[in-house]
Amino acid sequence: MRLQVENLDYAYGKKEAISGISLFVKKGEFVGLIGPNGSGKSTVLKNVYRGLTPDSGSILLDGENLLTMPYKKSALKMAVVGQENELPFDFLVEEIVAMGRSPHKKLFDIDNAADKAMVYHALKHLGMEHMAKRNYQNLSGGEKQRVIIARAIAQESDFFILDEPTNHLDISYQMQIFDFIKRLNVTVLSAIHDLNMAALYCDRIYVLKHGMIVLQGTPEEVLTEQNIYDVYGVRTAVVKHSVTGKLSITYLPAELS
Ligand code: ADP
Ligand code: MG
């Protein structure tokens, strides 16, 4: 799966939210989108997963124009995990995961044995198989997010679009979610709030500010003390961590900056 976005513009009404966005994700890459609140991360992702229709620009998936692709075909190609995944009705965990199978099926097809096996496999992968009969709405935030990722796995897509998927989660769940996704060896485009998470998991990073990409590169190229100050206005100490080999970012209080 290769994603190629060229010159993407989108405005909510008259208010320009993103402009001139060009980015790519190569097969197997884990690419992060970072930037302050309101910089346009979610808007970029929504245009890519067809929640919004671009005002101009092109989006190619494996060289094919996404904007004219049948919806079912694009739904098969990408799995989307959002920030808060509240669902309006009561569903069992296994029913939600089974929804991941729907792009594979015709209207009114019932779930067959292979679908059921896939649902179980996906839940097991996230250590959630014992929760299959639980009510989704009664789960904790971390459990809900694991169910949504199980749904993405059941979909058997090899391209994941994530919008700050661990935003409201405890640190252990944050790590667990990113570790699970990393182990799937899928292609990923993810908005990430936390710069240390971006440093740990991303192969490359795009930085958005005021709806435009202002920096791009590897974590080492992008996450410098000066760049972080320019984009976020915060002083940091950035070092390569001796255990992870990745960058580690410490935010400095005013008296040290
Ligand atoms: P981020 O995900 O980086 O926080 P968003 O893509 O959500 O940023 O928002 C980018 C800009 O678009 C912001 O100025 C935000 O206020 C605006 N925006 C987002 N969603 C809407 C909407 N539904 N209607 C109008 N403006 C919106
Ligand atoms: Mg957002």
Side-chain angles (χ1 to χ4, degrees):
M1 179 63 56
R2 183 189 163 90
L3 173 74
Q4 181 102 36
V5 175
E6 296 287 349
N7 256 314
L8 185 69
D9 297 328
Y10 185 83
Y12 294 97
K14 286 206 170 75
K15 188 174 171 293
E16 180 120 300
I18 52 170
S19 64
I21 301 293
S22 295
L23 59 84
F24 64 90
V25 186
K26 285 189 280 191
K27 187 175 168 56
E29 271 192 317
F30 196 121
V31 172
L33 274 184
I34 65 172
N37 289 336
S39 58
K41 302 179 293 296
S42 296
T43 305
V44 170
L45 296 178
K46 282 177 187 157
N47 275 276
V48 173
Y49 67 72
R50 305 184 83 184
L52 297 172
T53 304
D55 295 332
S56 59
S58 70
I59 304 176
L60 301 180
L61 260 185
D62 286 334
E64 200 177 331
N65 184 355
L66 181 76
L67 304 175
T68 54
M69 203 181 279
Y71 273 96
K72 194 159 166 174
K73 186 169 177 190
S74 58
L76 266 173
K77 285 176 177 277
M78 31 190 181
V80 180
V81 180
Q83 215 164 98
E84 278 158 48
N85 295 288
E86 288 307 332
L87 295 164
F89 303 107
D90 252 9
F91 286 104
L92 299 180
V93 164
E94 64 183 6
E95 291 171 329
I96 291 183
V97 179
M99 289 171 195
R101 302 302 300 156
S102 60
H104 292 273
K105 306 171 84 69
K106 297 199 184 71
L107 197 60
F108 304 128
D109 267 5
I110 52 163
D111 290 348
N112 60 32
D115 292 322
K116 291 209 169 82
M118 193 65 217
V119 167
Y120 180 78
H121 162 81
L123 280 170
K124 193 167 159 54
H125 193 88
L126 285 138
M128 295 289 283
E129 70 274 27
H130 60 290
M131 295 202 178
K133 302 285 181 198
R134 287 271 303 274
N135 214 306
Y136 178 80
Q137 264 166 357
N138 300 335
L139 301 181
S140 73
E143 289 163 347
K144 279 182 179 158
Q145 209 59 332
R146 278 149 79 193
V147 172
I148 298 301
I149 289 168
R151 181 175 70 181
I153 293 171
Q155 194 183 319
E156 294 182 279
S157 152
D158 61 357
F159 180 38
F160 278 41
I161 298 176
L162 313 172
D163 193 351
E164 302 191 20
T166 63
N167 226 15
H168 305 293
L169 305 184
D170 290 346
I171 187 64
S172 69
Y173 284 121
Q174 290 189 33
M175 301 291 295
Q176 192 184 50
I177 296 284
F178 280 124
D179 283 338
F180 275 129
I181 292 166
K182 197 86 183 177
R183 258 183 266 134
L184 290 174
N185 281 321
V186 290
T187 306
V188 178
L189 177 62
S190 179
I192 301 180
H193 190 71
D194 185 307
L195 300 185
N196 279 303
M197 288 291 168
L200 275 180
Y201 291 98
C202 292
D203 299 311
R204 285 189 305 113
I205 293 173
Y206 290 93
V207 184
L208 280 165
K209 192 175 180 184
H210 303 314
M212 288 185 282
I213 290 174
V214 293
L215 292 164
Q216 56 184 292
T218 62
E220 287 72 19
E221 288 165 343
V222 166
L223 297 172
T224 65
E225 293 169 1
Q226 186 63 47
N227 284 345
I228 295 170
Y229 183 74
D230 291 344
V231 174
Y232 294 90
V234 172
R235 292 290 180 197
T236 53
V238 179
V239 296
K240 185 172 169 174
H241 197 276
S242 58
V243 174
T244 63
K246 308 280 189 183
L247 294 185
S248 170
I249 296 135
T250 302
Y251 302 102
L252 300 178
E255 70 252 33
L256 292 175
S257 10

